[in-house]
Amino acid sequence: MARIYPFRALRYDTSRVRMEDVVTQPYDKISPEMQQRYYEQSPYNLIRIILGKHEPGDTEPQEFLPAGQQAHNVYTRAAEYLRDWRADGIFAQESDPALFGYSQTYTVPNSTEVRERRGFIALGHLYDYADKVVYRHEQTFPKHKSDRMALFKATRAYCEQVYMLYSDPGFTAEKLIFGSKSNYDGASRDGLSPENKDTRPADLAITDEYGVIHRVWKITDPSLINLLLTAMADKKLIIADGHHRYETSVAYAKERSAQLKLPLNEPLDPEEKVSPSHLPTPPFPEAAMMMTFVNMDAPGITILPTHRVVFGLEGFSSPDFITKASEYYSVEELADSASGPDLIQRLDKSPGDSFIAATGDGNYLLTPQPDAIAPLMQDLPVKQRQLGVAQLHTVVLDHLLGLDPDTITRLGKVRYIRDAQEAVALVDSGDADIAFLIKPITLDQLRDVSLAGDVMPQKSTDFYPKLLSGLAIYALD
């Protein structure tokens, strides 16, 4: 079962800082340019904790140093900032355990459509994937996890949330948090007018650099919190964003469980009776981390495609590639002068798992021939064979271009780019050999693959918008 807990959050004191100046996008979405801008916005910007700048003379994390030698690096500086800001009152700890309603109102990229995505922030218990409570959909990389582990151990705090999906066609959480009239009758999964709600004004509203409006509501009523936790108890959770943070947190929880000699997942007694005012807590602080829970049956979720751009291929010839590809795909030549948005518009009208190959010699729409690609796909799990991005990796990148997953990781010849125009421009400029513009994964495909215990190719999903970092912090001490 999914165990969820309220918590006494650390939060910025809005009388001391302007929230727009101190919150950030998630650490793994921050470019060097964004990092510098965050540094300049405020001396209290969260960037100094979640993704600090390296300095000359920085040492390895403490655990890798000889006995007696002190570490001095981005992680120790992060811990110092957090400690000092708490002491100076920049961060204040909430007096009562709480959950936080969270909504994001945004315009879908490359359109005029406005959507609202709703969820709530709470602590989520940490489970192994083998427990079949939390499910992943992508692979992770050791380097990224070792970085987050060093940060977690130094700061003893979780400053960012893992984005979790769950299924509830009855919209129980939304009605409890956003009001009894806040229903979704007649609304599609993708569309919801921001005016279609009945709830009190938000405690906090922030507009980020992408024009996304983030609203937060603090919930401290124990009866309401317990209703919400009970409604979530039977849910399976799918990680949308934050696989590296989640797996690192699980590893940290196991480490601390052994040190403290406390079980991480002690079974709950179904006969135990608790009062309506009793609020559950983790068995020890590291047994949970901060998460945002979003109902995948509710409107407002947007998944964007992440296009593949390939470069550094020795002796690459786009005519030769198209000739080889025609053994597996029906090929339609498109206008050479088409822009990225024009190509995406054409792709959206194409059948099934078609994709576009943008080359220096022209643009082509490729539609798979099922009988031709089937032999190449037979080693993939059944659910993955239905994914266009899995077909692209298996048939095109691996079979036609010789870029299997290990080669891609080792040589780095594939870039993952959200913007189609940027991808096409890299080919047009000669910086890349070929770009593949693809369709996004659907929520149903994500659910099917994840619950089957499978994983998708790297960067198969791009959930938009991202969860802001800095709305709340879970301090372990």
Side-chain angles (χ1 to χ4, degrees):
M1 63 183 295
R3 300 188 201 178
I4 295 174
Y5 313 102
F7 66 113
R8 293 177 60 220
L10 274 184
R11 302 179 74 189
Y12 277 106
D13 182 343
T14 55
S15 69
R16 302 288 302 277
V17 299
R18 178 177 177 268
M19 287 300 294
E20 280 85 353
D21 293 338
V22 295
V23 294
T24 74
Q25 297 295 313
Y27 84 98
D28 55 342
K29 298 298 178 183
I30 297 174
S31 67
E33 294 76 21
M34 293 169 67
Q35 183 189 42
Q36 180 61 34
R37 174 163 51 81
Y38 287 143
Y39 259 84
E40 294 171 354
Q41 278 180 187
S42 168
Y44 303 115
N45 189 283
L46 193 71
I47 192 68
R48 290 173 172 80
I49 296 175
I50 64 169
L51 192 66
K53 289 184 177 181
H54 291 273
E55 296 179 359
D58 276 355
T59 66
E60 292 291 318
Q62 188 68 51
E63 60 188 299
F64 300 119
L65 293 177
Q69 184 175 340
Q70 284 299 111
H72 181 73
N73 50 45
V74 293
Y75 310 114
T76 60
R77 286 191 291 275
E80 291 167 3
Y81 282 123
L82 181 61
R83 183 188 63 242
D84 292 347
W85 296 353
R86 292 179 74 172
D88 293 345
I90 301 302
F91 287 131
Q93 188 160 28
E94 298 283 357
S95 58
D96 298 311
L99 305 178
F100 300 90
Y102 181 22
S103 84
Q104 296 166 286
T105 304
Y106 63 98
T107 302
V108 178
N110 302 313
S111 79
T112 58
E113 180 185 357
V114 176
R115 295 179 181 174
E116 182 184 16
R117 185 175 73 194
R118 300 179 190 166
F120 66 94
I121 302 170
L123 299 187
H125 197 87
L126 294 164
Y127 295 92
D128 266 326
Y129 297 135
D131 295 322
K132 297 190 181 301
V133 176
V134 173
Y135 295 79
R136 61 178 178 167
H137 75 265
E138 71 177 27
Q139 297 280 13
T140 54
F141 299 92
K143 179 181 178 181
H144 302 316
K145 288 190 282 189
S146 63
D147 165 64
R148 291 299 96 180
M149 181 66 86
L151 180 67
F152 295 163
K153 287 184 174 182
T155 60
R156 298 273 300 154
Y158 292 124
C159 300
E160 300 188 281
Q161 313 141 56
V162 171
Y163 176 4
M164 286 290 192
L165 296 170
Y166 68 94
S167 176
D168 179 16
F171 312 120
T172 308
E174 291 88 341
K175 292 174 183 177
L176 287 170
I177 295 171
F178 297 100
S180 60
K181 294 182 182 179
S182 179
N183 60 62
Y184 296 93
D185 294 342
S188 69
R189 177 187 276 173
D190 289 338
L192 176 68
S193 166
E195 289 75 31
N196 183 26
K197 63 183 179 182
D198 175 30
T199 189
R200 62 182 171 86
D203 302 304
L204 177 67
I206 303 171
T207 301
D208 71 17
E209 61 261 59
Y210 299 108
V212 179
I213 302 173
H214 303 257
R215 296 183 178 89
V216 177
W217 293 260
K218 183 170 71 171
I219 301 165
T220 56
D221 179 355
S223 297
L224 192 154
I225 290 174
N226 274 317
L227 285 173
L228 187 56
L229 303 189
T230 300
M232 291 294 296
D234 64 344
K235 302 294 183 280
K236 295 182 182 298
L237 306 175
I238 297 174
I239 303 172
D241 275 336
H243 288 76
H244 289 91
R245 278 163 282 168
Y246 183 81
E247 292 180 14
T248 303
S249 300
V250 170
Y252 194 21
K254 289 180 178 179
E255 181 180 312
R256 291 293 291 158
S257 174
Q259 292 170 350
L260 298 170
K261 295 182 171 55
L262 292 172
L264 176 57
N265 286 317
E266 186 173 12
L268 297 180
D269 181 359
E271 302 300 322
E272 182 182 5
K273 304 296 182 182
V274 297
S275 69
S277 62
H278 170 79
L279 292 175
T281 60
F284 53 92
E286 298 86 356
M289 80 166 303
M290 191 167 56
M291 304 175 185
T292 289
F293 299 88
V294 175
N295 182 2
M296 70 177 78
D297 295 306
I301 296 176
T302 296
I303 304 177
L304 301 176
T306 302
H307 309 299
R308 275 63 176 151
V309 179
V310 183
F311 61 98
L313 296 174
E314 187 174 347
F316 177 76
S317 164
S318 53
D320 288 348
F321 169 79
I322 294 300
T323 298
K324 293 177 182 177
S326 63
E327 298 178 24
Y328 304 95
Y329 297 91
S330 298
V331 179
E332 178 186 345
E333 188 168 2
L334 306 176
D336 290 349
S337 59
S339 65
D342 291 336
L343 292 174
I344 292 298
Q345 188 175 37
R346 177 66 183 87
L347 180 60
D348 289 341
K349 296 176 181 178
S350 66
D353 295 317
S354 300
F355 62 90
I356 287 175
T359 79
D361 297 306
N363 302 316
Y364 303 88
L365 177 70
L366 280 69
T367 302
Q369 301 177 33
D371 292 341
I373 70 170
L376 299 177
M377 304 288 291
Q378 62 184 358
D379 291 336
L380 287 183
V382 173
K383 296 294 185 183
Q384 286 204 48
R385 296 176 202 171
Q386 314 306 316
L387 302 178
V389 66
Q391 294 175 13
L392 176 71
H393 274 254
T394 301
V395 180
V396 177
L397 296 184
D398 190 343
H399 182 68
L400 296 179
L401 295 179
L403 298 174
D404 60 37
D406 289 340
T407 302
I408 291 173
T409 301
R410 179 166 44 86
L411 300 181
K413 291 181 179 294
V414 178
R415 295 178 188 168
Y416 303 90
I417 295 178
R418 174 191 292 172
D419 184 74
Q421 185 58 44
E422 181 183 353
V424 172
L426 287 170
V427 176
D428 290 342
S429 67
D431 292 333
D433 297 311
I434 188 169
F436 299 105
L437 309 183
I438 63 175
K439 297 179 180 180
I441 293 292
T442 68
L443 269 176
D444 289 335
Q445 289 174 324
L446 174 70
R447 184 196 328 239
D448 289 347
V449 170
S450 297
L451 296 183
D454 295 338
V455 294
M456 301 178 184
Q458 182 186 6
K459 304 292 184 183
S460 291
T461 59
D462 183 5
F463 285 87
Y464 184 86
K466 301 303 178 186
L467 307 176
L468 271 190
S469 299
L471 298 177
I473 292 172
Y474 173 41
L476 300 174
D477 297 319

